[in-house]
C-alpha cells in the first residue's frame, strides 16, 4: 500500500460497511419472501422498503462526507462509484419484492430461489469485504468469487427465461415474471459492479 503523509477521512470505511450490512438485511428479506404466504408478502415488502430507505440514507451520508472532505482514503470517483453501486443493489432487491406484491404473483417460477440464494451469498461476501478496505488485504478472493457468482446468476437467469417462454404460461404472466427475474439479475450485476470497483481501488492503492 502506498505510504501517505496526509491524514485521511476514515469514516468512509464505517459507512461502506453499514451500507453492505443493510444489503445483507435486504437479501434476508428476499429469502423470507420465498417461503411466505401471499398474505404475508405486503408486510415483508414494507420492511424491505424501510431497508431501502435506510440504504438511501447511508448513500446520501457517504456523498455528504465526500463533498465535505478535503482528503479521502481513495479516489473520489471510486468512492462515488462504490456508494452508487451498493445503493443500486438495494434498489433492485426492493423493486423485485415490490413487483411480486404489486403483480399479486401466486407462485414464483422454479429457479428464482437459486437467483436469490446467489444474491444472499454475494451480500455476505460484500459485507465481509467492506471492512478490509481499511488495509486493502484479503480482497482478491472476494472479487473473484463475486464475479463467479455473477456468471452463475447469468446461467440461472437464462434458464429461467427459457422456462418462462416454454408455452406453459399465459402471455401476461410471462411479462410479470420476466420483469421480476430481470430485476433480480440486475441486482447480481450490481454486486459485480461493486466487486469490480473494489478491485480498481485495490489496484490503485497497491
Amino acid at each position: 500500500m502506498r505510504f501517505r503523509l496526509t491524514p485521511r477521512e476514515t469514516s468512509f470505511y464505517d459507512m461502506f460497511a453499514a451500507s453492505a450490512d443493510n444489503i445483507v438485511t435486504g437479501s434476508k428479506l428476499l429469502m423470507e419472501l420465498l417461503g411466505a404466504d401471499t398474505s404475508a408478502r405486503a408486510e415483508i415488502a414494507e420492511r424491505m422498503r424501510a431497508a431501502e430507505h435506510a440504504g438511501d440514507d447511508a448513500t446520501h451520508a457517504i456523498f455528504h462526507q465526500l463533498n465535505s472532505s478535503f482528503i479521502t482514503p481513495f479516489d473520489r470517483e471510486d468512492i462515488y462509484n462504490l456508494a452508487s453501486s451498493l445503493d443500486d443493489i438495494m434498489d433492485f432487491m426492493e423493486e423485485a419484492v415490490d413487483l411480486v406484491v404489486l403483480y399479486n404473483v401466486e407462485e414464483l417460477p422454479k429457479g428464482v430461489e437459486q437467483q436469490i440464494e446467489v444474491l444472499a451469498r454475494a451480500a455476505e461476501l460484500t459485507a465481509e469485504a467492506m471492512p478490509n478496505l481499511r488495509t486493502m488485504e484479503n480482497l482478491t478472493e472476494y472479487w473473484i468469487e463475486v464475479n463467479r457468482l455473477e456468471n452463475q446468476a447469468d446461467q440461472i437467469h437464462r434458464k429461467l427465461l427459457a422456462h418462462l417462454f416454454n408455452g406453459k404460461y399465459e402471455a401476461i404472466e410471462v411479462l410479470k415474471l420476466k420483469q421480476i427475474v430481470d430485476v433480480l439479475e440486475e441486482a447480481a450485476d450490481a454486486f459485480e459492479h461493486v466487486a469490480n470497483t473494489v478491485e480498481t481501488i485495490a489496484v490503485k492503492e497497491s
Side-chain angles (χ1 to χ4, degrees):
M1 182 180 296
R2 292 201 304 261
F3 178 72
R4 295 176 183 267
L5 297 175
T6 53
R8 296 181 295 174
E9 175 54 65
T10 60
S11 61
F12 287 105
Y13 301 120
D14 294 332
M15 289 189 286
F16 283 130
S19 183
D21 287 342
N22 191 55
I23 289 170
V24 172
T25 297
S27 70
K28 289 179 179 177
L29 288 170
L30 272 176
M31 293 292 290
E32 188 175 341
L33 183 78
L34 280 176
D37 294 332
T38 54
S39 60
R41 288 176 176 173
E43 189 271 336
I44 296 172
E46 188 61 33
R47 283 189 282 142
M48 178 65 98
R49 198 169 297 113
E52 192 273 331
H53 289 162
D56 285 343
D57 290 342
T59 304
H60 294 153
I62 293 170
F63 290 162
H64 176 76
Q65 190 68 39
L66 183 61
N67 291 332
S68 60
S69 297
F70 180 67
I71 302 295
T72 57
F74 32 87
D75 286 353
R76 292 175 180 272
E77 181 181 0
D78 293 329
I79 291 174
Y80 180 86
N81 289 338
L82 183 54
S84 297
S85 295
L86 288 167
D87 188 60
D88 286 343
I89 294 169
M90 278 302 301
D91 287 345
F92 290 133
M93 291 197 298
E94 189 274 333
E95 183 180 353
V97 172
D98 200 35
L99 288 172
V100 170
V101 174
L102 290 174
Y103 289 161
N104 196 26
V105 175
E106 292 188 7
E107 184 178 356
L108 291 165
K110 185 179 179 181
V112 169
E113 73 280 0
Q114 294 176 341
Q115 275 191 305
I116 293 176
E117 286 170 3
V118 168
L119 295 179
R121 179 56 182 152
E124 291 173 358
L125 290 170
T126 301
E128 291 169 2
M130 289 301 106
N132 293 336
L133 288 172
R134 289 181 180 273
T135 60
M136 295 296 165
E137 296 177 352
N138 303 318
L139 288 169
T140 303
E141 290 183 3
Y142 152 69
W143 67 65
I144 290 174
E145 180 62 11
V146 170
N147 276 272
R148 187 195 69 79
L149 287 171
E150 197 280 329
N151 290 334
Q152 183 180 344
D154 283 344
Q155 295 174 358
I156 295 168
H157 181 244
R158 288 192 292 268
K159 290 179 181 178
L160 271 164
L161 293 181
H163 176 66
L164 291 177
F165 288 108
N166 66 8
K168 295 181 180 179
Y169 292 91
E170 297 290 337
I172 189 65
E173 195 69 13
V174 170
L175 292 175
K176 292 178 181 179
L177 295 175
K178 182 180 182 300
Q179 190 172 359
I180 293 167
V181 301
D182 284 350
V183 169
L184 291 172
E185 171 63 14
E186 288 183 283
D189 290 341
F191 273 114
E192 185 180 39
H193 294 160
V194 168
N196 290 344
T197 302
V198 169
E199 182 178 9
T200 297
I201 293 168
V203 169
K204 289 180 179 179
E205 295 296 304
S206 63

